[in-house]
């Protein structure tokens, strides 16, 4: 596309792997943008530092969804199911796990299953054209290993076909912080549920991990929502929905800490990639007024400066 429609002097596309990327990073740029995982981000940032090049890093992490019992369970389930399974769960801001009270797990699982069946059909393996595929066999095997090693209970899903890279939407309950599904970003169609009974403990659970790229809160309780907003740190927050902040170009999009550095979208992109150059243009007239700033510095000049400062403060 770039070769046919792009401006070659402005855009250059280089295909390749580690050797090509390493060679590109050795060049001097005004700004480097990287999207991916935090391990590679450290390599990019270290290479950029050699030339004092600023970077924008859009990473990821485990984005939680806190679901309060006051919410409409069916609406919350539909919106979370959509966000968690878009592109077969392979988006950087997908809700990566659910935090809810233990008494709310059963009704929420039932609502999630209903939503999943509505979106993707009853027989996921045969009627799988409504769901995407895992990107390659390496990631398919990684997801299978995470699920197989989990000590949680598969509530529904878990069907797999390695040859077709098909992995059905899967919900797992009974997961704790030490579970295989909580060790890192899942980046696939597996949604674990962690039972934590009150919002303060849910906030503590989130804060014990790395700062996520996104955080989702589902509640009708405004005080609870404010408590979560005021006591957590994330790249972005959405209340009562998922993913949609990324579609709003008036909002900055980016991470914090382990989930990224810098932000963009809309005018924020223009600001991120622009240097704010200070320019002051002055007249050469009234040079006599500048006499008080030139050496030799005298008591008379100091008095004039004091009077000028007082006048400026009063106005």
């Amino acid at each position: 596309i770039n070769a046919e429609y792009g401006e070659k002097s402005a855009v250059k596309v280089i295909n390749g792997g580690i050797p090509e990327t390493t060679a590109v990073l050795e060049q001097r740029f005004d700004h480097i943008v990287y999207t991916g995982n935090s391990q590679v981000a450290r390599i990019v940032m270290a290479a950029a530092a050699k030339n004092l090049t600023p970077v924008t890093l859009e990473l990821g992490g485990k984005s939680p969804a806190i679901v309060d019992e006051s919410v409409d369970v069916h609406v919350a389930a539909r919106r979370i199911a959509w966000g968690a399974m878009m592109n077969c769960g392979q988006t950087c801001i997908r809700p990566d796990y659910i935090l809810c009270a233990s008494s709310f797990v059963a009704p929420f699982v039932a609502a999630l299953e209903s939503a999943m069946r509505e979106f993707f059909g009853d027989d996921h393996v045969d009627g799988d054209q409504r769901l995407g595929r895992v990107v390659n066999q390496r990631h398919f095997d990684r997801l299978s290993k995470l699920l197989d090693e989990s000590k949680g209970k598969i509530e529904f899903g878990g069907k797999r076909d390695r040859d077709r890279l098909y992995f059905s939407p899967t919900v797992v309950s009974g997961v704790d912080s030490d579970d295989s599904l909580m060790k890192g970003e899942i980046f696939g169609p597996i949604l674990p549920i962690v039972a934590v009974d009150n919002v303060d403990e849910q906030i503590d659970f989130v804060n014990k991990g790395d700062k996520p790229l996104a955080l989702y809160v589902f509640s009708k309780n405004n005080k609870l929502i404010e408590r979560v907003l005021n006591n957590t740190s994330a790249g972005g927050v959405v209340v009562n929905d998922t993913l949609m902040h990324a579609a709003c170009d008036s909002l900055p999009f980016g991470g914090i800490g382990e989930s990224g550095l810098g932000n963009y979208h809309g005018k924020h992109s223009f600001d991120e990639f622009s240097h704010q150059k200070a320019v002051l243009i002055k007249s050469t007239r009234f040079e006599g007024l500048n006499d008080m700033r030139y050496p030799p510095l005298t008591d008379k000049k100091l008095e004039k400066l004091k009077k000028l400062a007082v006048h400026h403060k009063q106005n």
Side-chain angles (χ1 to χ4, degrees):
I1 294 175
N2 180 59
E4 185 174 356
Y5 300 105
E7 174 54 59
K8 294 182 179 180
S9 64
V11 180
K12 184 72 173 179
V13 178
I14 299 175
N15 293 318
I18 294 176
E20 292 80 6
T21 304
T22 301
V24 169
L25 286 174
E26 290 173 351
Q27 311 309 308
R28 185 183 294 274
F29 295 98
D30 292 328
H31 200 109
I32 294 175
V33 183
Y34 168 76
T35 299
N37 63 57
S38 59
Q39 288 75 28
V40 176
R42 286 172 167 82
I43 297 172
V44 172
M45 198 167 184
K50 294 179 180 178
N51 292 316
L52 297 179
T53 301
V55 297
T56 301
L57 306 174
E58 195 268 279
L59 309 178
K62 296 195 73 64
S63 297
I66 295 174
V67 185
D68 175 46
E69 293 175 274
S70 68
V71 78
D72 184 318
V73 65
H74 298 290
V75 172
R78 284 168 59 84
R79 295 182 182 184
I80 289 174
W82 170 76
M85 300 304 162
M86 175 179 282
N87 196 37
C88 200
Q90 297 165 119
T91 66
C92 59
I93 53 173
R94 76 177 291 260
D96 210 61
Y97 66 100
I98 305 296
L99 286 170
C100 68
S102 54
S103 61
F104 196 61
V105 171
F108 190 62
V109 166
L112 276 174
E113 182 171 9
S114 176
M116 299 286 190
R117 292 190 185 282
E118 176 189 350
F119 295 163
F120 306 114
D122 290 329
D123 190 339
H124 296 311
V125 173
D126 294 330
D128 61 5
Q129 294 184 1
R130 287 184 275 180
L131 185 73
R133 298 293 186 274
V134 178
V135 65
N136 56 39
Q137 289 187 339
R138 179 170 67 87
H139 282 288
F140 183 95
D141 293 339
R142 177 186 62 82
L143 291 168
S144 291
K145 187 172 185 289
L146 288 177
L147 186 58
D148 291 340
E149 292 181 352
S150 174
K151 296 178 181 179
K153 175 188 175 184
I154 297 178
E155 295 286 355
F156 61 89
K159 297 179 180 179
R160 296 165 252 179
D161 186 332
R162 188 174 188 270
D163 292 335
R164 293 193 296 162
L165 298 175
Y166 176 76
F167 205 118
S168 69
T170 303
V171 172
V172 183
S173 66
V175 172
D176 59 29
S177 59
D178 295 324
D179 196 88
S180 60
L181 295 173
M182 298 300 294
K183 295 300 183 183
E185 184 179 10
I186 294 173
F187 209 73
I190 306 171
L191 186 60
I193 299 177
V194 183
V196 180
D197 282 331
N198 66 69
V199 66
D200 292 322
E201 292 177 359
Q202 292 166 353
I203 289 170
D204 288 341
F205 190 98
V206 172
N207 289 338
K208 286 178 181 178
D210 292 322
K211 296 177 180 180
L213 184 57
L215 187 150
Y216 304 107
V217 187
F218 285 80
S219 179
K220 292 182 179 179
N221 185 333
N222 289 332
K223 289 184 177 179
L224 182 146
I225 294 169
E226 284 296 321
R227 193 183 307 174
V228 173
L229 292 176
N230 292 335
N231 292 281
T232 58
S233 180
V237 180
V238 181
V239 177
N240 293 328
D241 209 342
T242 62
L243 310 189
M244 293 306 295
H245 62 305
C248 184
D249 62 11
S250 63
L251 290 176
F253 179 79
I256 181 172
E258 198 72 12
S259 61
L261 176 68
N263 53 67
Y264 51 98
H265 282 192
K267 185 178 181 297
H268 301 286
S269 297
F270 182 87
D271 294 338
E272 181 76 359
F273 306 138
S274 299
H275 168 64
Q276 297 187 50
K277 179 172 63 178
V279 177
L280 175 64
I281 300 176
K282 295 189 65 177
S283 170
T284 57
R285 301 170 61 194
F286 308 114
E287 178 61 10
L289 295 175
N290 289 322
D291 183 61
M292 66 184 75
R293 77 184 189 187
Y294 296 141
L297 301 178
T298 64
D299 291 340
K300 184 178 180 180
K301 290 180 179 180
L302 180 60
E303 286 302 316
K304 287 182 178 180
L305 282 172
K306 287 180 178 179
K307 290 180 180 179
L308 184 62
V310 170
H311 178 74
H312 177 72
K313 185 177 181 180
Q314 291 174 343
N315 291 298

